[in-house]
């Protein structure tokens, strides 16, 4: 294929809307403007009011056209944006008119940004920032996406890659000119020092408690406790809807039921779980296994204790941490048992004390989010590659320290460079590109 397709798509929201923005990019944009716009190819970067007509000369709509010639456009190709009336018939007529030409088709999800990436306008973490900013629902998500889009992660990776390239050069010198007179320490000590610095920086990025991922994907809170403690009743209250079945029979909930809320400015997933108890029922036992998994995966656990029939055995589980909350339920029944130290006393049924509990959850996620100033890792993809890179660097360091084969150490540093490179998309990304760009909406 000598020329790539010209792509077009609705870039604005679903009709009906005040305005529909159609976006075109590719080699045939000028031709399309000449054939279908009364103004011809609009003056670059000026909004031009014009009629748009179809192949038969019938009026499609009248609107504004903005032409951005390549390579100074987002995709670095000729790009045209049409601001038409945001009705379904207008959009359908306009897109049908454009795609009637050979080599003009509807864009794939994220294809504009993919072209921008391929033209070197942004790296992969910046492209992910574009997807994230569109998905962002909280200010914290937006701020993180904006930072990423602005190259906030790229800079960190560029610094590490520069330092590692320096390390590699030193290792290669050591391979080419082994200095037999010197003690090995004299040549390897400075290399090890540089290597150790990068290793400790990567370790500290990895040890961020997953805050970047939590801000992007949501914090996890699990409601844990004995059967009948009122976990599902509490979930429904927090969800403000009837998400889970409530019943006086113990062992009602089997699956983990998650609801999503924004609390303290962050996305929070609250999980209701099966009551913890030993059981012969195969399905319930699987529910208990899933409950314990949800408890381990959570950032915060609410240990719910039934005030009417206190069973505190869940409080001694190995996944309970100091920041978890012990919540005594059914305060409406009166006479709550003495001797249980609870962070909150509530009635999930009447709602008493639940507002305070919500505030405590919000405060917890707020503190967590603030615990890392500018997370380097915002997705599992980054974490996995960075862990691989760290392993390679640690292997290289151990080999250098033991004085076995600088060649092997060099190979591991090269490997780490490739692993970091795949995060920003400079190397070996064919396999990840599809996954990254498929998350986008069409028109971006
Ligand atoms: N009086 C009173 N009853 C409650 C309260 N919260 C829950 N209940 C009742 O306790 C029973 C069990 O409630 P659920 O929410 O189903 O309890 P659960 O912990 O989800 O139970 P499992 O799913 O079986 O583990 C139901 O009859 C609820 O109406 C409360 O605050 N006060
Ligand atoms: Mg339940």
């Amino acid at each position: 294929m000598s020329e790539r397709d010209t792509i077009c798509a609705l870039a604005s929201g679903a009709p009906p809307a005040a305005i529909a923005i159609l976006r075109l990019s590719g080699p045939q944009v000028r031709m399309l403007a000449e054939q279908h716009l009364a103004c011809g190819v609009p003056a670059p970067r000026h909004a031009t009011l014009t009629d748009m007509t179809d192949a038969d000369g019938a009026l499609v709509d009248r609107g504004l056209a903005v032409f951005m010639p390549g390579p100074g456009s987002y995709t670095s190709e000729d790009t045209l944006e049409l601001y038409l009336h945001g009705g379904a018939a207008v959009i359908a007529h306009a897109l049908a008119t454009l795609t009637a030409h050979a080599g003009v088709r509807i864009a794939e999800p994220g294809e504009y940004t993919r072209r921008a990436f391929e033209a070197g306008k942004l790296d992969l973490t910046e492209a992910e920032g574009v997807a994230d900013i569109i998905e962002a629902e909280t200010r914290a998500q937006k701020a993180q996406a904006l930072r990423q889009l602005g190259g906030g992660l790229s800079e960190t990776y560029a610094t590490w890659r520069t330092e590692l390239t320096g390390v590699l050069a030193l290792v290669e010198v050591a391979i080419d000119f082994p200095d037999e007179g010197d003690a090995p320490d004299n040549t390897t000590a400075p290399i090890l020092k540089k290597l150790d610095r990068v290793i400790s920086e990567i370790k500290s990025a990895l040890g961020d408690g997953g805050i970047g991922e939590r801000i992007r994907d949501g914090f996890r809170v699990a409601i844990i406790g004995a059967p009948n403690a009122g976990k599902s009743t509490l979930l429904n209250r927090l969800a403000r809807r009837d998400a889970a079945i409530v019943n006086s029979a113990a062992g009602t909930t089997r699956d983990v039921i998650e609801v999503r809320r924004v609390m303290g400015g962050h996305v929070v997933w609250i999980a209701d779980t099966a009551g913890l108890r030993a059981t012969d029922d195969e399905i319930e036992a699987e529910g208990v296994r899933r409950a314990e998994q949800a408890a381990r995966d959570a950032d915060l656990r609410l240990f719910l204790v039934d005030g009417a029939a206190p069973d505190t055995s869940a409080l001694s589980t190995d996944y309970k941490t100091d920041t978890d909350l012990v919540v005594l339920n059914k305060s409406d029944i009166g006479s709550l048992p003495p001797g249980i130290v609870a962070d909150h006393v509530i009635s999930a049924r009447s709602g008493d004390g639940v507002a305070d509990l919500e505030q405590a959850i919000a405060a917890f996620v707020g503190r967590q989010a603030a615990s890392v100033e500018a997370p380097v890792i915002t997705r599992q993809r980054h974490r996995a590659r960075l862990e691989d890179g760290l392993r390679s660097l640690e292997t290289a360091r151990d080999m250098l320290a033991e004085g076995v084969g600088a060649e092997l150490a060099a190979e591991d540093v090269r490997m780490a460079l490739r692993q970091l490179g795949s995060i920003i998309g400079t190397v070996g990304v064919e396999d990840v590109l599809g996954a990254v760009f498929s998350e986008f909406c069409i028109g971006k």
Side-chain angles (χ1 to χ4, degrees):
M1 199 170 62
S2 60
E3 285 214 317
R4 59 194 329 193
D5 287 344
T6 294
I7 51 177
C8 61
L10 175 68
S12 53
I19 291 173
I21 302 177
L22 300 195
R23 212 176 188 196
L24 292 78
S25 179
Q28 302 202 71
V29 161
R30 283 170 195 266
M31 177 279 288
L32 291 168
E34 274 159 8
Q35 295 214 0
H36 297 290
L37 300 185
C39 66
V41 179
R45 297 190 171 72
H46 281 271
T48 307
L49 180 66
T50 185
D51 283 352
M52 178 179 180
T53 49
D54 66 14
D56 303 325
L59 187 65
V60 174
D61 193 14
R62 166 177 285 193
L64 291 177
V66 179
F67 176 58
M68 280 144 305
S73 67
Y74 183 61
T75 57
S76 113
E77 302 171 325
D78 285 345
T79 301
L80 182 70
E81 286 183 9
L82 300 172
Y83 298 71
L84 306 175
H85 294 97
V90 172
I91 296 163
H93 193 178
L95 289 177
T97 299
L98 297 168
T99 54
H101 293 269
V104 182
R105 61 168 169 82
I106 300 289
E108 308 275 345
E111 197 169 5
Y112 296 91
T113 304
R114 184 171 183 149
R115 288 189 177 188
F117 165 74
E118 284 166 357
K121 295 259 175 183
L122 29 73
D123 73 19
L124 206 49
T125 63
E126 290 163 343
E128 287 170 336
V130 174
D132 286 353
I133 198 161
I134 293 169
E135 293 293 324
E137 274 181 275
T138 65
R139 270 215 198 183
Q141 289 174 327
K142 181 167 80 65
Q144 180 161 289
L146 271 176
R147 199 169 62 78
Q148 187 164 336
L149 172 58
L153 305 196
S154 321
E155 267 170 45
T156 306
Y157 288 111
T159 309
W160 286 338
R161 280 166 54 84
T162 307
E163 285 178 31
L164 289 177
T165 309
V167 168
L168 188 59
L170 289 174
V171 177
E172 279 166 348
V173 168
I175 296 169
D176 291 343
F177 305 102
D179 193 347
E180 277 120 29
D182 262 354
D185 274 6
N186 289 355
T187 43
T188 52
I191 305 180
L192 283 175
K193 200 171 156 208
K194 277 176 180 283
L195 199 50
D196 275 330
R197 195 169 56 223
V198 181
I199 286 176
S200 84
E201 284 178 15
I202 292 180
K203 269 191 179 158
S204 104
L206 283 168
D208 64 358
I211 297 306
E213 292 134 296
R214 297 294 194 287
I215 288 175
R216 179 175 179 271
D217 304 325
F219 289 83
R220 299 199 166 269
V221 175
I223 308 173
I224 303 295
N228 251 347
K231 301 179 294 300
S232 301
T233 310
L234 176 59
L235 178 88
N236 290 348
R237 194 157 277 286
L238 293 173
R240 292 156 168 65
R241 66 186 168 89
D242 244 352
I245 299 171
V246 167
N247 195 278
S248 57
T252 301
T253 305
R254 305 296 179 84
D255 285 317
V256 175
I257 298 169
E258 287 185 310
V259 300
R260 190 177 164 293
R261 274 202 49 191
V262 174
M263 300 175 89
H266 295 283
V267 173
V268 178
W269 289 95
I270 306 167
D272 175 27
T273 63
L276 303 179
R277 70 171 169 187
T279 170
D280 292 335
D281 183 316
E282 208 180 306
I283 300 168
E284 190 182 357
E286 174 61 18
V288 170
R289 204 193 56 75
R290 290 181 188 203
E292 303 214 279
Q293 191 57 49
R296 286 177 210 283
D297 292 345
D299 301 298
L300 175 71
R301 283 146 292 269
L302 309 181
F303 284 91
L304 202 60
V305 178
D306 184 341
D311 173 351
T312 54
S313 53
L315 299 182
S316 51
T317 49
D318 62 346
Y319 42 78
K320 184 173 180 305
T321 71
D322 292 345
T323 46
D324 288 342
L325 300 174
V326 177
V327 182
L328 195 58
N329 189 31
K330 309 195 184 179
S331 63
D332 54 298
I333 287 180
S335 66
L336 287 175
I340 294 178
V341 182
D343 299 295
H344 291 266
V345 178
I346 65 164
S347 166
R349 180 181 277 175
S350 77
D352 246 22
V354 175
D356 279 354
L357 177 61
E358 286 185 276
Q359 264 176 24
I361 298 171
F364 172 82
V365 294
R367 274 197 307 277
Q368 292 288 109
S371 66
V372 177
E373 201 189 322
V376 174
I377 301 166
T378 60
R379 294 177 183 231
Q380 177 56 31
R381 187 182 80 80
H382 306 163
R383 184 171 297 280
R385 290 291 79 71
L386 207 51
E387 280 169 350
D388 292 344
L390 177 64
R391 266 195 297 279
S392 302
L393 292 179
E394 285 177 334
T395 311
R397 188 217 19 224
D398 292 350
M399 281 191 293
L400 283 171
E402 288 163 21
V404 288
E407 285 92 346
L408 291 174
E411 192 44 46
D412 278 303
V413 175
R414 267 186 227 110
M415 177 99 80
L417 272 166
R418 277 199 296 277
Q419 281 146 348
L420 297 194
S422 77
I423 298 175
I424 52 174
T426 50
V427 287
V429 291
E430 288 66 32
D431 48 336
V432 300
L433 283 185
V436 168
F437 288 103
S438 65
E439 282 182 19
F440 278 72
C441 41
I442 290 180
K444 192 64 212 175

